[in-house]
Amino acid sequence: MDMRGNIGRLVGEGERLIRDHVWVLTPTHRAVLVKAAADLHAAVDTPQVQEALPVINRLEHLREALAAVAIALAHVHGRTAWFLGAAATVLTPVLHWRALPAEDGPAFGAVPPALQQYTEAEDAVRQLQRALVSIASP
């Protein structure tokens, strides 16, 4: 799993499409991306803040970030929706993570991630947030 690399490739493709005038953002789509960027920033704070949190809170914040992307996706269409859909797909592994012990019962396939996986996912969210700000700028 290379969330940072996948987000980086996605952002690179998006920037190229915008530069080549293939992906032309409407003012409405720009506003949705700005709101999504703000929501991502609110969900996942600085590395120092995130790393000081219990893993259950870190996972909660990552799920909030994924929800922010999904909500933005619901309000757009075309290339903007495709971009956000791809970003959501990159972040979906967090849906299979758990921070609580399963004890002796089933966990619906959820697994506890390594601490490095939290860090990588949080970095990917920050990378996506910065890209949304840049992409939304006229």
Side-chain angles (χ1 to χ4, degrees), residues 6-7 10 66 69 81-93 128 132:
N6 288 336
I7 289 292
L10 177 64
L66 181 55
V69 173
W82 304 336
F83 177 84
L84 291 171
T89 299
V90 170
L91 299 174
T92 57
L128 178 60
L132 293 180

Side-chain angles (χ1 to χ4, degrees), residues 57-82:
N57 296 109
R58 291 177 77 177
L59 183 53
E60 177 183 318
H61 291 187
L62 287 167
R63 289 176 180 159
E64 286 174 15
L66 181 55
V69 173
I71 289 168
L73 173 60
H75 295 285
V76 294
H77 57 273
R79 284 188 174 80
T80 306
W82 304 336

